[in-house]
Amino acid sequence: MSKAFITTPSDREVRIERIFNAPRERVWKALTDPKLVALWWGRGNKLVIEQMVVERGGHWRFVEHSPHGVHGFEGRYREVKPIERVVRTFEWDGMPGHVAIETATLEDLGDGRTKLVSVSLFHTTQERDGMLQSGMESGVNQSYEALDQVLASL
Amino acid sequence: MSKAFITTPSDREVRIERIFNAPRERVWKALTDPKLVALWWGRGNKLVIEQMVVERGGHWRFVEHSPHGVHGFEGRYREVKPIERVVRTFEWDGMPGHVAIETATLEDLGDGRTKLVSVSLFHTTQERDGMLQSGMESGVNQSYEALDQVLASL
């Protein structure tokens, strides 16, 4: 199973790189179709997509129902360039008003695989480190393993 | 008429300082009561307050109807400490996903006047400069002059 490669290119950023065994069109669809996102983003937990308007200025809001509680996440799309790039804000209800800018880029590797690079920019190093220490790495890997299965099923 | 004193304490911040001729409780009320905010924030333009839940995690959304068009602004409260401090996010619909963190602090000057200090932190210097070049200074001064009148009427 492929793992996400996580680095910190600057003191306010986290960069995640992950290769998926599917063509770019299919990865784009799984990242932007609410019905598909509901299948993988929650890592096996029930995910309610209250809002997801994938266009510049559109809002998104997901609520994850885990055995440990209910967690809301939300933000707004800054830029949407199919099938290449999505820039959006990201905020967790538990830390309201702490906003990261998440830039996700899809690269066609030319062999039927796709590289996803996601860079999150925080307002401060402290907020970035809080995210890193929140169990982000295992959460990201669980989500992407669920995404592998969704991609294989399409 | 008092003017706002605007500085750039770092390459991602704008600081605004303004003294109001009213006690701190009254300034707090004018900043946090939607009915009062509607009277000054729009600088004479019609302002529709679609949402304004002044508590941690609450959302706000204002729509200003100016002769030049309709402008939406929104964000979320990060921290609310009556009658001292409000931290919230700030986003203009025209630049969706560009989010500043606005920290407003009220200081009782002990002579019936109140000093408001508002510091906005941006993700990048470019976003900060975009805000400075948007006519922010005259907009802020117009709003605060309208706020002077609201405070005098309370």
Side-chain angles (χ1 to χ4, degrees), chain B residues 25-50:
Chain B
E25 295 74 12
R26 203 187 296 171
V27 179
W28 176 266
K29 190 168 159 57
L31 293 177
T32 57
D33 180 332
K35 283 193 283 299
L36 297 178
V37 172
L39 299 177
W40 64 268
W41 206 87
R43 307 163 293 135
N45 294 321
K46 179 182 167 194
L47 187 77
V48 178
I49 300 204
E50 294 188 348

Side-chain angles (χ1 to χ4, degrees), chain A residues 12 56-57 59 61 74 76-78 89 91 93-101 121-124 127, chain B residues 12 56-57 59 61 74 76-78 89 91-101 121-124 127:
Chain A
R12 291 192 289 120
R56 183 172 183 270
H59 291 81
R61 180 168 172 82
E74 63 179 48
R76 194 173 192 188
Y77 292 94
R78 183 197 279 212
T89 62
E91 194 174 336
D93 283 355
M95 295 281 276
H98 294 74
V99 182
I101 306 298
L121 174 66
F122 297 80
H123 275 107
T124 65
E127 291 179 28
Chain B
R12 292 192 289 120
R56 185 174 182 271
H59 292 82
R61 180 168 171 82
E74 62 179 48
R76 196 173 190 185
Y77 291 95
R78 183 196 279 210
T89 61
E91 193 176 337
W92 168 50
D93 285 353
M95 295 281 277
H98 294 74
V99 183
I101 306 297
L121 174 66
F122 296 80
H123 274 107
T124 65
E127 289 179 28

Side-chain angles (χ1 to χ4, degrees), chain B residues 18-132:
Chain B
R18 173 65 146 80
I19 292 172
F20 293 96
N21 194 19
R24 189 157 67 152
E25 295 74 12
R26 203 187 296 171
V27 179
W28 176 266
K29 190 168 159 57
L31 293 177
T32 57
D33 180 332
K35 283 193 283 299
L36 297 178
V37 172
L39 299 177
W40 64 268
W41 206 87
R43 307 163 293 135
N45 294 321
K46 179 182 167 194
L47 187 77
V48 178
I49 300 204
E50 294 188 348
Q51 206 173 11
M52 188 176 173
V53 181
V54 187
E55 60 184 42
R56 185 174 182 271
H59 292 82
W60 65 275
R61 180 168 171 82
F62 302 165
V63 180
E64 182 180 351
H65 295 254
S66 88
H68 311 293
V70 176
H71 291 282
F73 302 86
E74 62 179 48
R76 196 173 190 185
Y77 291 95
R78 183 196 279 210
E79 186 190 328
V80 177
K81 187 179 179 189
I83 54 179
E84 285 176 29
R85 194 176 141 94
V86 179
V87 186
R88 67 178 185 179
T89 61
F90 177 96
E91 193 176 337
W92 168 50
D93 285 353
M95 295 281 277
H98 294 74
V99 183
I101 306 297
E102 190 187 277
T103 300
T105 311
L106 294 180
E107 186 189 340
D108 181 351
L109 294 182
D111 56 2
R113 295 183 308 154
T114 302
K115 186 199 281 184
L116 168 64
V117 175
S118 171
V119 178
S120 291
L121 174 66
F122 296 80
H123 274 107
T124 65
T125 302
Q126 193 183 14
E127 289 179 28
R128 194 273 311 264
D129 290 348
M131 175 66 93
L132 284 173

Side-chain angles (χ1 to χ4, degrees), chain B residues 1-14:
Chain B
M1 192 76 73
S2 178
K3 280 277 172 200
F5 181 57
I6 300 182
T7 53
T8 50
S10 79
D11 65 356
R12 292 192 289 120
E13 288 174 301
V14 176

Side-chain angles (χ1 to χ4, degrees), chain A residues 49-69:
Chain A
I49 300 202
E50 294 187 348
Q51 207 173 10
M52 187 176 174
V53 180
V54 188
E55 59 182 44
R56 183 172 183 270
H59 291 81
W60 65 275
R61 180 168 172 82
F62 303 165
V63 179
E64 182 181 351
H65 295 255
S66 87
H68 312 293

